[in-house]
Amino acid sequence: MPKKTKKPTTKQDFPINTIVEILWEDACSLSGWDNIETYKNHTAMPVKSVGYLVKRNKKCITLAGTQALDEGFCQGITIPLSWTKQIKVLQKGKKA
């Protein structure tokens, strides 16, 4: 039988409520054979991620895309801070 959890009454019932938007550059790879010009013109990929702020330290920032009342998380990503261009707080909440 599945574990029963209480129904949320407010957003504050969830463990993490700070939501951030991160603009960053992701590593990209090439596979297979191609000419030298394709390799010379290859660059990092500008991307945007939005999620619940799970952790931030001197080296990286971790987001979760989904959370449950039982403090389960999924759709996570950890981004090196050296790859980030901008971090914007969309909603401020309590810390994890």
Side-chain angles (χ1 to χ4, degrees), residues 20-29 43-51 61 63 77-88:
V20 297
E21 173 186 88
I22 303 173
L23 301 177
W24 58 289
E25 287 190 344
D26 196 3
C28 294
S29 64
T43 62
M45 178 65 66
V47 293
K48 181 193 300 187
S49 295
V50 177
I61 186 166
L63 304 181
I77 185 168
T78 298
I79 304 165
L81 284 178
S82 61
W83 292 13
T84 64
K85 302 298 179 193
Q86 180 183 16
I87 300 171
K88 180 179 176 183

